[in-house]
Amino acid sequence: MTIRFEDPNRPNSYIGRTVPRPNAGRLVKGRGRYVDDILLPRMVHVAFVRSPYAHARIAAIETSQAKSLSGVLAVFTGRDLAEVCTPWEGRLAHLEGMKTPPQHPLAVERACWVGEPVVAVVGRTRADAEEGAAMVEIEFEALPAVTDIRTALDPETPVIHEAFGDNLCFRKTNEKGEVDRIFAEAHTVVEESFKTARHTGVTLEPRVILADWSEAEGEMTVHVSNQAPHMLQVLLASHLGIPESGVRVICGDVGGSFGVKVHVYPDEVATAAIAKILGRPVKFSSDRLEAFTSDIHARDHEATGRIALDETGRILAFDVDDWTGIGPYSIYPRTSAVEGLQVTNLIGGPYEFDHYRCRTSVVFQNKGICAQYRAVGHPVAVAITEGLVDKAAAQMGLDPVEIRRRNLIRDDAYPRTTAAGLKLEALSHHKSLDALIEAMDYEALRSEQASLREKGVHRGIGIASFIELTNPSPFMYGIGGARISAQDGCTVRMDPDGSVVALTGVTEQGQGTEAITAQIVAEAVGVSPGMVRIVTGDTRVTPFGGGTWASRGAGIGGEAALQAGRAVRGQVLAVAAAMLQANAKDLDIRDGIVVDAGTGAERMPLAEIGRIVYFRGDTLPKGLPRELMQTRHFLTSDYPYAFTNGVQASYVEVDAETGFVKLLKHWCVEDCGRIINPLLVDEQIRGGIVQGLGAALFEEICYDEAGQLLNGTMADYLVPMSGEMPDMIIRHVETPTAESELGAKGAGEAGTAGAPAAVMNAINDAIRPLGGSVTHMPFTPERVLRAIGAIGK
Amino acid sequence: MTDTFRNRIDLEMTVNGEPIELTVPAARHLIDLLRTDLGLTGSHAGCEHGVCGACTVIVDGETVRGCLTLAAQLQGAEIWTVEGLTESGAIADLQKAFVERNALQCGFCTPGMLASAKVLIERDAVPSREGIREHMSGNYCRCTGYEAIVDAIETTLRGRAGGDAR
Amino acid sequence: MKASIGGYARARSIEHALSLFAEADGAGRYLAGGQSLVAALNLGASAGDMLVDISGIEALRGVRIEGDRLVIGALTRHSEIERNDLVARHVPLLAKAAPLIAHDAIRNRGTIGGSLSHADPAAEYPACAVALDAIFNLEGPNGRRDVAASEFFKGLFETDRAEDEILTAVSVPVAQAGERHAILELTRRSGDYALAGLAIVVRGDRHRIGAFGLGDRPLLCEGAMAALDRGDVDAAATAIADDVDPMSDIQASADYRRHLAGVVLRRLAAELGVAR
């Protein structure tokens, strides 16, 4: 039996409805349980002494003064922890030629970025540990720092890791067709340089871990604010020499993640290692200052790109040279090459063309480590693509909507493989663009823009089409040898009273995993969502899974939940059929009651099934299966990724005297396949858009030439706040994937992927009559003003 | 330590309507007093330099930053946190609106958001959306994009003003 | 980080505060609303301070008229300045400036005396004080003294106040009939420190302009003032480029800030209806 999604009046029709999140009621009362809220008996705190140098040799470490403090219990150096913890290398076998050196939980011989942990101080309280950390004296011998991206490979630039001979971590060119010939012969060629600033995630809850080693039980219990508990379980086990079954990772409430909390961090591994040495619970709660230097950074791309078009405005080719600096180590275990790799895959993604070249060069620097962060690579690729498309449109006198209509891949042209090699199942670019034009009343907005321009008001409209990678298969990481699970599982159990517990391998960070899983299981079993209790984030009890990243929770975890729920339903109906002397296929479960499928007549409540199965199993035929707990796993296999698509528009006003940009309104039409909970999808999109708006206007990690971080507080790394953000109109097109019965693709990153490009194009639309354009993010008032020549370049 | 300067401070205060007596280190921030000494973990420390607003609580009827306020300065103060505001029902309508509108995702900012919004919804005037955005501009949320929060506050304001709660 | 301090004492009176400070033997630091000081402690900018908490001293409170001046106690909070009737009537500039400071929760604790003593060059009050020709009352071990606002600010976070002195009150001439005040700042986000801002007082046909975010201290913009006195806005916008001395930082370059000063000046002139 399949679910008739097209019928909103079908029984148990919870999939597709706005249902409030079960955990929201708890969080709004202040009853969350984040890791820093947890206190354990004998718990101590660790603080880290971090390198003040971008690159330095560690000559000597003096810890006696720190150890003499009454509140300090122990001090550890890199050599101390190297004895209990093996180093790691963030490398994937399928990324040919990739280099990265071994990394330890605490720096051993050299510190390679400002903020790298060097010494760990354990104290009774965080204040005690900090006081001790302030007393540790480290003699550093400064080494030359590499900070610039474009000169990192120059012969005169010092090499950070001598054994490698250069500062190249990874380089790849993705090429198809006759790029050079096409560009030589094309009617129109447009070229531009782009820059996306270095960002960091600024999760409101900083990273935090509480590790507890029980020697007696041989068990490490780790409470941690993380997105991928099973990944962490496996890696902690491996590096600390514990069987995987002896490591229990618990991720309760997580105060925001966005990719920041899907990586292995040296200070967190150090905390677990120290817990193993001390045999007592150790907590590390990052403060905001160390978050800026030790959380992963991202983006930091510089690119030059060109686009070739024929005389009708048809796109013929893209050619992009992308560079990115990733800090001194590739992140573990996902690697820091993936953002660049994504750029080589995603350029030109929405468009029909045959000739393609994109090279990415991933270089080492003495700055914070860059890694996967919400919408990995997408904002970079979309900005380059859409910036080039808009510039070409302007040069050819085409309206931005018209050039897109002429070039977006036709909605009936799927499945297809793009010039960049992406396998696309089914997308809806044209339908989405039509919906956007209608939602924003494009023509009316254009005439408003024109009439205001006559009054000296400079408004601009920017459009950005995009594709988003979701539901990754093992082709993303597993193929390269990383122990990151692309499959996910769900266990569904019916309790005796007919209520249901579902344990899922995907995790909750506020996006609504628990709510959508409850909806899916409720519909699959045939109970109301209120009767479904969801358990996430505990490796001891949930099926092995990948967790939440790359917008996989709904598409992969959701399908596993659907199948597990339906399996329980099947068992319930088999038991009911035996009890009722009926045929199982003539029965259904609706709102917790077994009914006749045809008439809807009530036959028996689930509580009666539960009573018989659990307490009076003797009354059922011997050998009748009555497994009211079922586990199913799901893995995508037809396509390496389920791509989604969408289009955003931004409406801005530029103050030509000050360069200030006011965001007036924002629109997004998005196709994430089957929508499970419209409210939650909308809010994912909105939150993602604002993260992209931050990228466009505010966010930039700044280092000086010596590798010193210049803006490591929330007072000077500017995140988007409510005062400057616009209202956002969200619309949907639904093209379900045929890979799964549920048909859901991901929706978590679309907002972030497209927003920066939309704003860039809007600003440039506004200032084009004044001359100049902006392509280097963030578009600060000063950069905008310099672009229009109101002050010197 | 002298007779006059102390590194531990005796305090009497009222927290969520309950009289509290305790002795804390002189450098103890209000947010750490609430979380560590009193186990009121609903309020959060997000930046510890006064910018993010996660630690916002109500002291003597006004919002303050729990991370920029030394507990030592609060002798005799009346403090309300999300736990007390929940039990008293003072912001029940606001909390309901937050849940219905999904004005929270990870929930870490929410207690501070509620404290800041409480002051606004208790004023007589119903501000514009821009006014709500401006008032809430000292509270950081990375998840929602703010629109749902503005909506939930606007709904509560209208409800209290007797207008239609949309 | 957690604040690290050497000790804390609550002062009952100004005299008591002064004696506590002396007792701290060089490590003393006055604590008022704490909105800048506690942030600095949390950032690790200072450790081991002996905090003398002056926030309970009654003599530092209150807003009152004394002759033709409004005297504002140092402990008056930003939120009180925002709402105080005497301030609104007699020194509207401060009433207009207060809502621009940070956010509600900060304004509920931060004090005018603390803000002026902290002397952040991008803060609103110091520039207002300069434009208003305010006088600061200081009290220290050697007695009381008055310092004109224009003499008080010495440099980046540096003032004429000796470490052991307490800024007790600010005294501002009450607005004359027809006097007009205005303040305008440009910030990246609501509540941020200004990239550039000007506070302006028009008393008769004389203008006084205090600049913030445009130097290492609040600046009195004499060239622009003279030009506005002549009713020449263009000349004022040109002159202000020389009046200010902005610094470059990651938010904005000096050139850009200087440019903004001219824009802000023109906008204020338009708001106040200054003739061309």
Side-chain angles (χ1 to χ4, degrees), chain B residues 24-89:
Chain B
V24 297
R28 182 74 95 221
H29 298 122
L30 171 59
I31 185 64
D32 290 333
L33 175 142
L34 294 169
R35 290 179 50 79
T36 310
D37 298 301
L38 301 181
L40 295 168
T41 54
S43 307
H44 301 129
C47 74
E48 294 186 308
H49 45 266
V51 183
C52 78
C55 63
T56 307
V57 296
I58 312 273
V59 174
D60 295 333
E62 294 182 320
T63 51
V64 309
R65 295 283 202 245
C67 74
L68 292 188
T69 307
L70 293 183
Q73 292 194 284
L74 297 176
Q75 168 61 28
E78 183 183 340
I79 298 161
W80 286 88
T81 69
V82 66
E83 290 91 345
L85 296 174
T86 299
E87 282 171 16
S88 75

Side-chain angles (χ1 to χ4, degrees), chain B residues 4 6 29 48 72-73 134, chain C residues 2 8 10 23 32 42 190:
Chain B
T4 42
R6 307 202 170 267
H29 298 122
E48 294 186 308
Q73 292 194 284
E134 163 65 25
Chain C
K2 305 303 176 193
Y8 168 92
R10 213 173 276 145
E23 196 183 318
N42 296 359
S190 171

Side-chain angles (χ1 to χ4, degrees), chain A residues 18 20-21 23-25 27-32 34 36-39 130 200-206 253-256 258 287-289 292 373-374 508-511 662 679-680 683-684 686-688 690-691 694 699 712-715 717 719-729, chain B residues 28 32 35-36 39-49 51-54 65 82-84 86-87 91 94-111 113-114 129-130 132-151:
Chain A
T18 287
R21 289 161 50 209
N23 47 353
L27 296 174
V28 84
K29 292 175 176 165
R31 300 299 298 272
Y34 304 89
D36 200 36
D37 300 342
I38 300 171
L39 306 175
E130 282 179 3
T200 188
V202 200
T203 57
L204 186 51
E205 176 203 34
D253 286 321
V254 171
F258 316 111
D287 80 6
R288 185 58 61 188
L289 303 179
F292 276 105
Y373 165 58
R374 195 175 200 174
E508 169 77 54
Q509 283 94 47
Q511 74 281 53
K662 184 170 170 53
L679 176 68
L680 299 189
E683 297 317 310
Q684 278 299 296
R686 287 199 172 92
V690 165
Q691 230 158 344
E699 297 186 41
T713 76
M714 286 192 70
Y717 180 88
V719 291
M721 302 296 279
S722 62
E724 292 70 36
M725 291 301 110
D727 282 342
M728 295 160 269
I729 306 292
Chain B
R28 182 74 95 221
D32 290 333
R35 290 179 50 79
T36 310
L40 295 168
T41 54
S43 307
H44 301 129
C47 74
E48 294 186 308
H49 45 266
V51 183
C52 78
R65 295 283 202 245
V82 66
E83 290 91 345
T86 299
E87 282 171 16
I91 54 168
L94 182 66
Q95 289 167 309
K96 180 166 173 281
F98 263 61
V99 171
E100 283 177 357
R101 182 59 189 85
N102 203 45
L104 66 154
Q105 289 183 27
C106 81
F108 205 78
C109 73
T110 309
M113 288 282 177
L114 294 171
R129 287 180 73 78
E130 290 67 34
I132 297 170
R133 286 185 174 278
E134 163 65 25
H135 178 84
M136 299 303 293
S137 67
N139 287 75
Y140 171 55
C141 170
R142 188 56 134 176
C143 299
T144 63
Y146 301 106
E147 185 168 333
I149 294 172
V150 175
D151 289 346

Side-chain angles (χ1 to χ4, degrees), chain C residues 201-263:
Chain C
V201 173
V202 190
R203 204 167 278 165
D205 51 8
R206 305 301 298 266
H207 299 75
R208 284 181 67 87
I209 304 171
F212 52 108
L214 291 166
D216 67 351
R217 71 197 82 176
L219 297 169
L220 190 65
C221 303
E222 297 187 50
M225 284 155 49
L228 283 192
D229 289 349
R230 299 192 305 271
D232 189 341
V233 177
D234 286 338
T238 307
I240 202 157
D242 291 325
D243 289 333
V244 299
D245 185 15
M247 296 177 289
S248 290
D249 60 26
I250 58 160
Q251 303 297 357
S253 71
D255 282 352
Y256 176 63
R257 288 174 193 268
R258 189 173 270 120
H259 167 85
L260 291 186
V263 174

